[in-house]
Amino acid sequence: MKKILQKIAKKSPWLYRINAGSCNGCDVELATTACIPRYDVERLGCKYCGSPKHADIVLITGPLTARVKEKVLRLYEEIPEPKVTVAIGVCPISGGVFRDSYAITGPIDNFIPVDVNVPGCPPRPQAIIDGIIEAIKIWETRL
Amino acid sequence: MSSFLKIALRNLFKSPTTDPYPFGETFVPKGLRGKAKYNAGACIACRMCEHVCAGGAIQIREVADKSGLEFILWHNTCTFCGLCEYYCPTKAIRLTEDYHTAHRQEDKYRYVEKGFIKYVNCAGCGTPMVPISPELLQRAYENVNKEIEILRHLCPKCRQKRALR
Ligand code: SF4
Ligand code: SF4
Ligand code: SF4
């Protein structure tokens, strides 16, 4: 039974989005990738979910500002293992233009293990799709 | 309700609006600013790009054995703003239309654009100097004559000497 479930689950990871203090640029691109039919990520078998408890692949945007840090880490803890983390935009990866600011505590990989990076400010929907495909590949090995 | 049916029926015969990427070809808007590409041959190490870079992505420094300058651009903090290309006098740095940037975490710090400018020796005194690229000459002079071609291989000091002769 477990084997069958594993096989099915591989084909349909659930995506979950965390905004760690992003300027909204990356979130607009994520929304574009998710919601408008032109880029439709659900073709890849994945689906956005509203609860961290259901998530398999986590997409994080933003430089992890000091204000949201605790909340983001708490949320991240709630996501069950195994999970795959994708950093979207230069903010979570390196801090981007906010690097060295007193208001941010990132880069995100100081606190959260990241698997895939999709730099860009913001990245194009196709680049985000590339990143999700990479994440699905990792997801399949973790199940 | 009937209008909804009309639209539904019409859409049934239309081709999908979904961009076929990643299963097929996608489109690139003209003039899209993607990953930067560097050409060491045209670069004159003026460091303008390093100075204006909004993301602090560019570093130009002398290599350990002092044989030249190393250019490094870290894509993971580049904002695709294009300031480097705009201010580069020789267009040695350009933004390409390549925006495919996804990579694994283990490659985070390897995801760079690199280049090396090897010092040349001054034809007069032999001091190592940054070579003067043909792109700079093209920009500075309409016609590059023999005299300029000779000056090009001299360091600033020797150039001054020769010009004041
Ligand atoms: S990477 Fe750029 S667009 Fe994305 S959140 Fe940071 S500043 Fe905004
Ligand atoms: S595009 Fe902007 S951020 Fe990127 S290297 Fe050039 S100046 Fe720096
Ligand atoms: S890439 Fe252009 S702006 Fe940068 S150092 Fe070279 S010549 Fe100057």
Side-chain angles (χ1 to χ4, degrees):
Chain A
M1 186 63 195
K2 199 172 165 225
K3 271 212 169 126
I4 298 172
L5 272 179
Q6 269 176 350
K7 225 173 155 187
I8 301 170
K10 271 184 185 175
K11 295 208 161 43
S12 53
W14 285 36
L15 305 177
Y16 184 69
R17 210 170 54 72
I18 299 179
N19 178 337
S22 133
C23 79
N24 208 29
C26 287
D27 300 276
V28 168
E29 295 302 324
L30 267 183
T32 306
T33 316
C35 301
I36 71 166
R38 186 178 221 167
Y39 301 112
D40 193 14
V41 278
E42 296 193 356
R43 279 176 302 160
L44 306 173
C46 42
K47 194 170 169 51
Y48 273 89
C49 61
S51 158
K53 298 237 165 38
H54 298 158
D56 301 313
I57 294 175
V58 202
L59 310 171
I60 301 187
T61 60
L64 195 65
T65 56
R67 193 163 257 242
V68 295
K69 182 185 151 202
E70 291 310 320
K71 297 185 184 89
V72 168
L73 296 186
R74 203 166 355 115
L75 205 54
Y76 189 79
E77 281 307 306
E78 281 185 27
I79 302 167
E81 295 287 347
K83 54 194 165 197
V84 182
T85 314
V86 186
I88 305 278
V90 290
C91 276
I93 304 172
S94 63
V97 289
F98 305 114
R99 200 171 59 215
D100 301 332
S101 156
Y102 61 85
I104 72 163
T105 53
I108 219 123
D109 59 359
N110 282 349
F111 305 97
I112 289 173
V114 174
D115 299 296
V116 180
N117 293 310
V118 188
C121 185
R124 279 200 94 203
Q126 284 93 337
I128 296 176
I129 290 175
D130 285 347
I132 293 176
I133 290 172
E134 207 58 41
I136 292 174
K137 277 187 208 150
I138 298 174
W139 165 242
E140 284 172 353
T141 64
R142 292 213 176 144
L143 264 181
Chain B
M1 187 62 194
S2 69
S3 65
F4 165 74
L5 272 180
K6 240 189 258 164
I7 293 169
L9 266 177
R10 199 168 58 221
N11 283 350
L12 211 54
F13 297 104
K14 269 198 195 154
S15 59
T17 50
T18 308
D19 185 44
Y21 191 82
F23 306 109
E25 283 297 302
T26 183
F27 64 100
V28 182
K30 225 177 131 30
L32 177 93
R33 300 195 304 263
K35 272 158 71 180
K37 182 113 192 72
Y38 173 70
N39 169 12
C43 178
I44 49 165
C46 66
R47 296 175 183 247
M48 197 50 170
C49 50
E50 191 180 19
H51 178 67
V52 297
C53 179
I58 298 173
Q59 256 191 22
I60 298 172
R61 50 175 183 218
E62 194 166 56
V63 292
D65 64 358
K66 297 196 188 304
S67 63
L69 296 169
E70 189 181 36
F71 172 100
I72 298 179
L73 187 160
W74 190 30
H75 294 302
N76 274 331
T77 185
C78 169
T79 58
F80 300 168
C81 67
L83 284 178
C84 50
E85 175 177 335
Y86 183 80
Y87 284 105
C88 177
T90 59
K91 298 290 170 254
I93 186 161
R94 278 179 187 283
L95 298 196
T96 62
E97 288 183 345
D98 175 15
Y99 53 83
H100 295 285
T101 51
H103 60 275
R104 300 260 176 134
Q105 172 73 2
E106 55 262 37
D107 295 323
K108 177 173 170 181
Y109 294 106
R110 284 194 287 256
Y111 200 57
V112 291
E113 173 78 14
K114 262 189 180 176
F116 180 63
I117 311 169
K118 196 168 167 32
Y119 288 146
V120 292
N121 292 329
C122 163
C125 62
T127 355
M129 63 170 199
V130 175
I132 292 158
S133 72
E135 283 81 356
L136 181 69
L137 288 188
Q138 274 304 321
R139 199 188 146 131
Y141 306 102
E142 237 167 61
N143 303 306
V144 180
N145 60 25
K146 252 199 199 135
E147 181 63 18
I148 295 171
E149 198 43 55
I150 294 171
L151 288 175
R152 180 180 158 197
H153 298 287
L154 297 175
C155 69
K157 261 195 188 146
C158 294
R159 224 177 293 157
Q160 189 183 32
K161 260 190 221 153
R162 194 185 161 94
L164 294 178
R165 201 171 48 186

